[in-house]
Amino acid sequence: MSQPSTAPAAPAGPRVPEAVHRRRWAILGVLMLSLLIVVLDNSILNVAVKTISAPAPTGIGATQSELEWSINSYTLVFAGLLFTSGLLGDRLGRKKVLLFGITVFGIGSALAALSDSSAELIAFRAVMGLGAAFVMPATLAVLMNVFERDEQPKAIGIWAGSVGLAIAIGPITGGILLEHFWWGSIFLVNVPVVVLAVVLMAWLVPDSRDPDPGRIDIPGVFLSVVGLVLLVYGIIRGGELADFTDATVLAPVLGGLAVLTLFVLHERRSDHPAIDMGYFKRPAFSAAVAAIALVFFALMGVTFFSAFYLQSVRGYSALQAGLLIVPLAVAQMVFAPRARLVVERFGARAVCTGGMFLVAVGLGAFALFDADTPLWLLEVVFFVQGAGMAHIMPPATVAIMQSLPREKAGSGSAINNTFRQVGGALGVAVLGSVLSSTYRGEIEGHLGAVPGALRETAGESIGATLAVAEKLGPAGQGLIAPAYDAFLSAMHVTAIGSAAVALVGTVVVAVFLPPRAPAGPAPDASVPAGTAKAGESAGRR
């Protein structure tokens, strides 16, 4: 049923130049290529950790801790600089920042591929995180400046769908590369894609910036970087130890929260803030930010334990496990670009609430899975989760980005991605800790016959238990069935926790997200440089 029009739309504001408007879909393709390679790289690495841990020449003999830090060094730099990179894009020009980021990411990829040691790999992964931090906010900020407001939901849906594509092809690409080439190929494959992206960006992507940014808020930028790095480090450390009460966890977490509190207080008093805290008073903005953080908290946690379920309990290879989560990615690719049509009919609140509820149902379903659950049921659950995500991310992102003036698109994108990254890191760490501690409690009673030197190691995870069982030979066979039972019990507890978080997100969206977006755009502070006059492109399609 169509909604009655009660008032004319607000003035359309400055419009996109005609020359940019004509090539907007080609520009979106370049932005998707950049986003694809950044997201794909992390999903590829998850497939390769076993190979990298093997002794040379197969791998580099990385320990479990070194493997974790090859992932965490990227996450730490990426999350810590997301907000700053968005601000720099608004000031220096989003095209310049995007070109810088993708170039640094390519250089880091080439160096990571040629690493001779775990220390080198960790360092070069941090370089890749630096580049990625400048790429991700810039892609969304450029998108907001090349599409008119009425087309932005469609473009954001396609942009979000590219993440689903990366999730789908990452493990498959990684599996194929590892079968035919050495482990470094998973990083080296980025280089030709980066070269292509740089050429296309230089040719197609227009530059844009805030025409009146004012003085740069150096104390605010400094506080944001320090606060985010401390917070994310503490979260990562807590996940490693499966203990959030340890002093080495509490100190950085509490320190990070304290610094971020100072950041907020400083921003509220500053006459040239890095981010206007008044944006968070807008229900559409703050509820959408909370939804993104909560859904990634829940989803990254379940992605973490589902990998162990598929490989350790069900016995699938990394490549097969990657293929099994394709339905999740396919659902995102199919539904994300079309989410705007559902929003137009039912409103953002109803659509996001329904999407969050679907994610909660999908997560809760893992509490019912065992070692013999039919695969078709697992595939249905992954598809439901993907469909839920596809009806959360695009409308929530639209709500965030359209709450801000166009010239602040970099800041808006940075906030969107920062909350998503911190939410995801918390999900892996907190839910991973729940999984680990529950597993240890379940398996400890079965480790009496394990030699003392191996007992602590055997209780760390199902992978460690099975490795010790294999090392013990026939004497270790009695550990296998209890390990499966202990993991399934731990997975059920973690799944319930994940679903509970998603249900909290459902309530937040249902209560605080406005039913529909405002009729007109957020006011532009001024006309961006090079933007055509309002009448210049009237009547465009």
Side-chain angles (χ1 to χ4, degrees), residues 97 258 335 376 405 432:
V97 164
F335 292 116
W376 68 264

Side-chain angles (χ1 to χ4, degrees), residues 14-210:
R15 296 180 68 88
V16 177
E18 187 63 39
V20 174
H21 180 79
R22 283 197 300 266
R23 63 177 190 270
R24 64 198 185 284
W25 296 111
I27 294 169
L28 178 59
V30 179
L31 300 178
M32 288 173 60
L33 181 65
S34 308
L35 183 65
L36 180 75
I37 194 67
V38 169
V39 176
L40 179 144
D41 182 76
N42 271 342
S43 57
I44 283 184
L45 183 59
N46 291 333
V47 175
V49 289
K50 186 176 180 180
T51 305
I52 295 172
S53 66
T58 303
I60 53 176
T63 64
Q64 182 64 31
S65 175
E66 289 167 341
L67 286 173
E68 289 174 357
W69 273 105
S70 69
I71 297 171
N72 294 339
S73 63
Y74 178 100
T75 302
L76 196 61
V77 175
F78 181 62
L81 292 178
L82 272 172
F83 182 71
T84 300
S85 67
L87 296 177
L88 290 175
D90 285 343
R91 292 174 174 276
L92 304 178
R94 288 127 194 169
K95 179 176 182 176
K96 295 184 183 69
V97 164
L98 189 56
L99 284 167
F100 169 79
I102 198 70
T103 301
V104 170
F105 184 83
I107 292 170
S109 297
L111 292 172
L114 302 175
S115 299
D116 291 324
S117 67
S118 298
E120 288 184 2
L121 179 60
I122 291 168
F124 296 140
R125 284 282 297 164
V127 173
M128 293 172 68
L130 170 65
F134 282 83
V135 170
M136 190 167 277
T139 59
L140 189 52
V142 170
L143 182 156
M144 297 300 291
N145 278 271
V146 300
F147 283 90
E148 301 290 5
R149 184 180 175 88
D150 59 345
E151 282 190 322
Q152 285 169 1
K154 180 179 181 181
I156 287 173
I158 296 171
W159 176 87
S162 66
V163 176
L165 179 62
I167 292 171
I169 67 176
I172 300 169
T173 304
I176 292 171
L177 288 170
L178 291 172
E179 283 183 6
H180 296 90
F181 305 100
W182 97 113
W183 68 267
S185 63
I186 66 167
F187 299 117
L188 198 61
V189 72
N190 295 339
V191 176
V193 182
V194 165
V195 171
L196 176 62
V198 167
V199 171
L200 292 175
M201 280 178 203
W203 175 34
L204 289 170
V205 176
D207 206 359
S208 61
R209 70 182 77 190
D210 185 343

Side-chain angles (χ1 to χ4, degrees), residues 453-474:
L454 295 175
R455 195 169 300 157
E456 180 70 19
T457 300
E460 289 180 356
S461 66
I462 184 173
T465 307
L466 295 177
V468 168
E470 184 178 357
K471 186 174 183 179
L472 294 175

Side-chain angles (χ1 to χ4, degrees), residues 222-298:
F222 175 77
L223 289 171
S224 72
V225 172
V226 172
L228 285 169
V229 168
L230 283 173
L231 177 62
V232 174
Y233 173 78
I235 291 168
I236 290 170
R237 181 66 177 158
E240 285 181 341
L241 298 178
D243 180 7
F244 279 81
T245 62
D246 189 273
T248 60
V249 176
L250 286 175
V253 166
L254 294 177
L257 291 173
V259 173
L260 290 174
T261 301
L262 286 176
F263 168 72
V264 172
L265 294 173
H266 169 77
E267 294 303 288
R268 292 178 66 179
R269 291 175 170 83
S270 176
D271 58 358
H272 56 289
I275 179 67
D276 185 351
M277 289 296 156
Y279 293 142
F280 287 93
K281 295 179 181 178
R282 301 175 182 177
F285 185 88
S286 54
V289 164
I292 285 173
L294 288 169
V295 76
F296 269 85
F297 179 101

